[in-house]
Amino acid sequence: MQAPLRLMLHVVAALLLSARSSQLGQALHPFQRAIANDWVRLLFYVDASRDVSGQTTVVTLPHFLLEVEEEIAANVDGEFFSGGFAARASAMPVGALFTIQETREHLHGAVANYFRLADVALDSYLVFGNDSETLLPPPLLTVRADVGLETLDKRYNLTSASASEQWPAPLRMGDAAARQQETREFFDELDAMELKLVVGMKRKERPGGGVEADKLYEWTVVMRYDLLNQGHLEVTMNYDLVHVPLPEGGRRGGGEEDMPPVLVDTGVMFNWVTLVVICLYQTVEISIKWATVKSLAARQSLDHAHNADGHPLAVAWRTGAAKDFWFWIVLAVNFVTVVCLLATWRHAYRLSLDDSLCFTFASCCALQWGSLVRYLQVNTRFHILGLTLRRGLPRVMQFLVGVLPIFVGFVLFGTVMFGAKVPRFQSASTTATTLFSVANGDEVHDTFNDVAYTPWIGQIYVYSYMILFSYVVLMVCIGIIEDAFFSAVFPASWPTSDKEQGELQQNPVEARHHH
């Protein structure tokens, strides 16, 4: 009776966590993507004027490092938000500035965009200004430079888009800019810069059915200017929701925390149901394990009447029952899930805004569903994947260990040979990612085009890699997994290499005939 109850509680717990994940996907994630699009369109993009042959043209800074533009799209309450920009390994844009003048223009343009935000944005954004000087901090520019053997950070509060005296002299525009020699020395010592912008969002709330009050939410948008890359200054953007102060000072509503706009409070009843189900599930799990251990102890006490230590815990350790993999996995997952629920008891939006909490909750959801596989072990037809991996994965890993030195050789050759001119090979990790994609048939033509500037070396490099890894290594891995699959499905009629090797070891005469 306990085993079906355990299965039912496990499935219910997994479904409840799926419902919580669905809430995040339907409410919070589209809102965050829409916010990110606003920051990209309204803050990150900067228009600069250029005089070309007597005509004034407008260019958009920064320049993008990647060839393909991607979009962030969000659907919130039936409205579609999208913003196109190049992305590198994330939804945040990465751009490049190639000259000192472009660096100045982007810094000043981003600050000007910030102070114009309250006038040009459709949403009710607040910035540092006349109405919010006591609420929001001004833009903060941090300059990190190497002076001798020390690394120094200097901070500049920028209270106005037109106050040039608040900027470091080498970053000022026009006639207020420093001399060329001073500017050159400034950028030679410069390591990185960070521009931090705090944007407020205000809405009216009626806490607990009381008097309607204004509440303020702060978003911190950070742009980092990295000078460690050769030939250009790399600009990245990120954002975060930070501590939320209230306008009149102090907290209202009995100490409850605020929530971002467009989000609704999560039902405490839902959290209670999830918590009770997980606790019941873990209780049943422990009771089943304890009953199993007690039965083993009773059986051993009958078989070995003079056994000195018949305590159930000692018997569990001696018989291996205490080393049950699934029991400890389930215990850890349930414990961490309860911690996540308690940490986000009132406001589920923390599950996405806090990176560590987001990773923990995502892992719990995945492992809660993944641990359902253990119930499928009772029937081989349902457990074919597990049997295949159990037989094939060790041999695949052994084969890949033998292939690894060759792969590392290709990675290092590609990084050294093409890294200076081809972004796909700019570092060892990037080269490894590119080669893995090529081995699986992705980006093959683009890779050939990228190395075309060295016709013979590039062509031989890509051709030899594809022949070896796409046609040999990949096919061998598929063959190993195929052999493991058929040996799992037809164990009696499908001879595996392991079985043949064992038979040859038992029959040395036949082994000599094989050789």
Side-chain angles (χ1 to χ4, degrees), residues 12 14 31 66 124 158 370 376 457 490:
V12 172
F31 170 69
L66 301 186
S124 300
L158 310 174
L376 305 178
I457 298 177
F490 311 107

Side-chain angles (χ1 to χ4, degrees), residues 183-202:
T183 302
R184 185 70 267 173
E185 292 176 357
F186 174 84
F187 277 90
D188 287 341
E189 295 176 348
L190 187 64
D191 269 352
M193 294 183 292
E194 180 182 273
L195 181 62
K196 182 182 294 185
L197 309 172
V198 179
V199 183
M201 302 176 70
K202 184 183 290 187

Side-chain angles (χ1 to χ4, degrees), residues 481-494:
I481 294 298
E482 186 179 76
D483 177 74
F485 169 76
F486 283 109
S487 65
V489 178
F490 311 107
S493 59
W494 186 268

Side-chain angles (χ1 to χ4, degrees), residues 191-490:
D191 269 352
M193 294 183 292
E194 180 182 273
L195 181 62
K196 182 182 294 185
L197 309 172
V198 179
V199 183
M201 302 176 70
K202 184 183 290 187
R203 71 167 181 172
K204 293 186 179 295
E205 291 184 356
R206 195 185 302 272
V211 180
E212 192 175 70
D214 288 335
K215 296 214 173 174
L216 181 68
Y217 307 91
E218 293 181 1
W219 291 88
T220 299
V221 182
V222 177
M223 301 182 194
R224 292 184 175 89
Y225 300 77
D226 185 5
L227 275 170
L228 299 180
N229 296 281
Q230 294 183 356
H232 66 272
L233 183 148
E234 191 169 290
V235 189
T236 59
M237 191 199 80
N238 210 335
Y239 69 96
D240 189 21
L241 179 69
V242 296
H243 175 68
V244 181
L246 295 179
E248 288 77 19
R251 289 191 173 272
R252 297 181 179 178
E256 291 187 0
E257 295 185 13
D258 302 326
M259 291 180 298
V262 313
L263 298 181
V264 295
D265 197 359
T266 59
V268 177
M269 183 59 66
F270 184 90
N271 288 334
W272 271 115
V273 171
T274 307
L275 184 63
V276 169
V277 169
I278 291 177
C279 291
L280 286 176
Y281 167 46
Q282 188 58 53
T283 302
V284 173
E285 182 76 30
I286 293 175
S287 65
I288 291 176
K289 176 58 66 176
W290 183 251
T292 303
V293 171
K294 287 182 66 177
S295 64
L296 288 174
R299 191 179 306 127
Q300 285 205 355
S301 64
L302 294 176
D303 296 340
H304 306 282
H306 301 288
N307 190 2
D309 192 356
H311 193 275
L313 295 180
V315 173
W317 182 260
R318 190 166 55 249
T319 58
K323 301 177 183 179
D324 186 357
F325 171 79
W326 287 114
F327 174 79
W328 295 110
I329 284 291
V330 168
L331 178 63
V333 170
N334 287 338
F335 175 77
V336 176
T337 304
V338 170
V339 172
C340 288
L341 287 175
L342 296 178
T344 59
W345 189 254
R346 288 285 300 172
H347 308 297
Y349 68 87
R350 286 183 180 176
L351 291 173
S352 182
L353 296 179
D354 188 328
D355 289 341
S356 58
L357 201 58
C358 177
F359 173 78
T360 304
F361 181 71
S363 301
C364 289
C365 293
L367 291 174
Q368 201 71 257
W369 277 99
S371 57
L372 285 170
V373 174
R374 64 175 177 158
Y375 303 109
L376 305 178
Q377 296 178 0
V378 297
N379 192 321
T380 305
R381 293 185 178 181
F382 296 143
H383 194 51
I384 290 177
L385 176 62
L387 295 176
T388 302
L389 292 178
R390 185 181 302 172
R391 287 173 167 84
L393 197 58
R395 284 187 285 167
V396 169
M397 296 304 297
Q398 293 170 3
F399 174 71
L400 292 181
V401 168
V403 174
L404 182 62
I406 303 175
F407 180 76
V408 173
F410 273 96
V411 169
L412 296 181
F413 182 90
T415 304
V416 174
M417 185 67 201
F418 311 112
K421 298 182 180 179
V422 182
R424 297 175 189 272
F425 298 93
Q426 64 182 353
S427 65
S429 60
T430 307
T431 304
T433 303
T434 301
L435 294 181
F436 182 81
S437 301
V438 170
N440 288 276
D442 189 20
E443 300 181 350
V444 177
H445 190 267
D446 294 337
T447 304
F448 271 109
N449 290 337
D450 286 343
V451 299
Y453 73 94
T454 57
W456 289 104
I457 298 177
Q459 299 292 319
I460 293 174
Y461 174 77
V462 179
Y463 273 122
S464 60
Y465 175 80
M466 286 196 61
I467 291 172
L468 181 60
F469 281 84
S470 296
Y471 300 146
V472 179
V473 173
L474 191 59
M475 293 300 106
V476 171
C477 290
I478 293 175
I480 293 174
I481 294 298
E482 186 179 76
D483 177 74
F485 169 76
F486 283 109
S487 65
V489 178
F490 311 107

Side-chain angles (χ1 to χ4, degrees), residues 109-180:
V111 173
N113 287 344
Y114 170 79
F115 284 104
R116 287 197 300 263
L117 194 61
D119 298 327
V120 302
L122 295 178
D123 293 314
S124 300
Y125 290 144
L126 297 177
V127 298
F128 177 84
N130 295 331
D131 297 333
S132 59
E133 287 184 357
T134 59
L135 302 177
L136 300 176
L140 176 64
L141 175 65
T142 303
V143 178
R144 173 167 294 179
D146 288 333
V147 180
L149 299 177
E150 297 183 358
T151 300
L152 300 179
D153 288 346
K154 294 184 179 180
R155 294 175 174 82
Y156 304 87
N157 287 314
L158 310 174
T159 59
S160 173
S162 59
S164 61
E165 68 277 1
Q166 296 177 349
W167 292 81
L171 295 179
R172 296 172 186 172
M173 299 286 289
D175 297 335
R179 293 176 302 174
Q180 184 176 1

